[in-house]
Amino acid sequence: MTIVEEPGLATGRSPEAAEILARAQSVAPLLRDRAEEIERLRRLPADIVELLRDTGVFRMGFGKHWGGPELTSVEQTEVIEALAYGDASAGWCAMIGSDTGLYASFLAEPVARQMFPSLDMATAGLLFPVGHAEIVPGGYRLTGRWQFGSGITHADWVVSGAFLFRDGAPEPGPDGAPHDSRLMMVPRERVRVIDTWHTTGLSGSGSCDYTITDVFVPAEHTLVFADVHGPAGPLAQPEVHMRNMPGVPLGVARAALDHVRAESASRADDYRLQVTLADCEADYHATRSGVYAALRQEWEVLATVGTMADLTPEQRAALPLSRLHAFRTARSIVTRLYDLRQTAAIYRPSPLDRWLRDTTTMCQHIVAQDRILQSAGAHLTGGTPSFKLCLGLVR
């Protein structure tokens, strides 16, 4: 993986972060070797899941007070980037599964410790509130169907957004919202997976639909990002689960660039090759620098002052915008390299064909949509963001 370190990335990693990153980098070639199999199975094989678990990626969001490594957002993104360099679906599942320790900050710690007896447990699920949670004594009865359960075929817990109802009627929110909602955490064995994941790309992520039917969820197994339990800090923030997402497109873009450089060595004096590669490298480095600069800037403010409210509008907008740009730029880079390789790229054994489909699919995620541009632009101009959570706004 021929990453040129951006300023501030090559030094300052914690020993734990350096070890997890080294493990991720070491398994990337194995993931590349298994990429066709992962895509064909449309899920991660069990031994690949354990390979990821052994890197420590699922535990990297747990805080020091848990005995966890508490990787910074920069360090987490580097790890996801290294895994995605091997395979996009594996990197995507690692990114999703590593949220377990982040969710723990929004649960009462004694409860979370019972739920997560191991720090290497993976979580999956869709956060948008599409389920029906009927308020009952001690908790909720949850029913619904959700899409995009990335990694659900190997998850330990499933977190799902649901609207609250009391006696069948919508429950208003405490802030005056007409309909309150919460995130519900359910053990994977109480969830039925529906095999719907036949897609253009990211095929190996197993992002199937799933249903939960009349399952009792104790109130203490639910959370909202507005309420932090336990120590405050940079990782106990409402948008924390989105921060390491750019690692996936950045890892894929780097893999595609390295692949084309290696495959085109005999054409080193070809003008079109030189110009296209240089243009793509420029976009890659500018985009990667923007992502990590925004991550470092946010982390420095949160580590020093401790609240999202202390970020300027420009600082709040920088991270969702750089994240969107990473996804779209990765797709653009892979598309240009695919065109450069012409017919050599069109066959399914070609990793460029897979990366083209993977980046096309990942760019359909909300974090790469115009709604992010609208939300950031609205925040910068004093308007109303349509997706407040990407900015860390919960009210």
Side-chain angles (χ1 to χ4, degrees):
M1 186 175 182
T2 58
I3 285 178
V4 177
E5 295 286 4
E6 311 297 345
L9 291 184
T11 59
R13 294 190 191 100
S14 68
E16 296 92 340
E19 183 177 358
I20 294 173
L21 177 60
R23 290 174 184 167
Q25 291 171 332
S26 72
V27 304
L30 302 176
L31 296 175
R32 183 73 59 81
D33 290 342
R34 301 281 295 278
E36 288 184 56
E37 176 192 0
I38 291 169
E39 182 174 48
R40 184 177 68 255
L41 293 177
R42 296 181 296 109
R43 61 182 292 175
L44 298 189
D47 65 314
I48 295 295
V49 174
E50 294 311 308
L51 196 67
L52 294 178
R53 204 184 309 275
D54 289 344
T55 67
V57 66
F58 295 148
R59 66 168 47 214
M60 63 184 183
F62 278 100
K64 297 287 188 182
H65 65 290
W66 274 78
E70 196 172 325
L71 269 61
T72 69
S73 298
V74 165
E75 293 166 341
Q76 291 182 38
T77 306
E78 290 181 294
V79 172
I80 300 304
E81 190 178 7
L83 293 169
Y85 183 83
D87 179 68
S89 289
W92 191 268
C93 287
M95 176 266 293
I96 296 291
S98 69
D99 288 340
T100 308
L102 305 178
Y103 294 139
S105 294
F106 301 93
L107 297 163
E109 187 171 330
V111 174
R113 287 188 180 275
Q114 290 182 341
M115 294 171 65
F116 312 132
S118 165
L119 302 189
D120 296 307
M121 300 175 77
T123 301
L126 181 73
L127 303 189
F128 289 106
V130 298
H132 179 119
E134 186 72 24
I135 300 171
V136 297
Y140 308 88
R141 304 297 306 189
L142 178 63
T143 297
R145 176 168 176 161
W146 293 260
Q147 291 182 292
F148 311 122
S150 301
I152 198 168
T153 55
H154 60 258
D156 299 290
W157 284 88
V158 177
V159 58
S160 305
F163 284 112
L164 307 188
F165 293 81
R166 188 184 299 273
D167 298 325
E171 178 75 357
D175 57 354
H179 203 169
D180 201 6
S181 65
R182 295 185 72 84
L183 297 175
M184 311 268 162
M185 299 204 70
V186 174
R188 166 63 180 83
E189 57 267 22
R190 305 298 305 277
V191 176
R192 176 173 171 259
V193 176
I194 304 172
D195 188 9
T196 54
W197 195 240
H198 299 270
T199 57
T200 302
L202 286 181
S203 299
S205 66
S207 304
C208 297
D209 288 15
Y210 63 95
T211 60
I212 298 172
T213 305
D214 197 31
V215 170
F216 175 70
V217 183
E220 59 269 24
H221 287 189
T222 72
L223 62 109
V224 292
F225 290 126
D227 297 334
V228 175
H229 298 266
L235 293 181
Q237 305 294 334
E239 44 62 79
V240 65
H241 59 287
M242 289 184 263
R243 290 186 204 157
N244 61 27
M245 292 185 75
V248 180
L250 289 174
V252 173
R254 183 69 264 165
L257 282 161
D258 288 352
H259 171 78
V260 169
R261 287 173 63 179
E263 291 293 307
S264 305
S266 62
R267 299 167 51 209
D269 288 327
D270 182 270
Y271 178 83
R272 183 184 177 213
L273 170 68
Q274 294 167 343
V275 170
T276 302
L277 274 176
D279 191 41
C280 289
E281 288 281 1
D283 284 352
Y284 166 79
H285 286 293
T287 301
R288 188 171 187 267
S289 294
V291 165
Y292 281 104
L295 285 168
R296 286 195 303 272
Q297 178 178 250
E298 182 189 59
W299 189 272
E300 288 167 3
V301 172
L302 295 176
T304 303
V305 186
T307 69
M308 296 287 290
D310 292 291
L311 294 165
T312 67
E314 291 76 16
Q315 289 170 330
R316 272 195 192 245
L319 197 50
L321 289 176
S322 67
R323 181 165 52 234
L324 175 144
H325 195 57
F327 277 83
R328 292 186 174 185
T329 301
R331 178 174 60 183
S332 172
I333 288 172
V334 171
T335 300
R336 281 177 279 166
L337 296 176
Y338 186 91
D339 288 344
L340 177 68
R341 292 292 293 162
Q342 300 176 29
T343 55
I346 67 175
Y347 296 100
R348 280 295 175 105
S350 165
L352 269 176
D353 176 76
R354 184 168 54 253
W355 291 325
L356 181 72
R357 289 180 283 107
D358 287 341
T359 53
T360 296
T361 297
M362 70 178 69
C363 278
Q364 308 316 307
H365 195 282
I366 188 172
V367 298
Q369 296 298 304
D370 285 353
R371 192 175 175 190
I372 302 301
L373 296 175
Q374 183 279 329
S375 297
H379 187 64
L380 290 171
T381 58
T384 303
S386 65
F387 185 39
K388 295 180 178 180
L389 189 59
C390 76
L391 296 155
L393 298 168
V394 290
R395 289 187 174 90

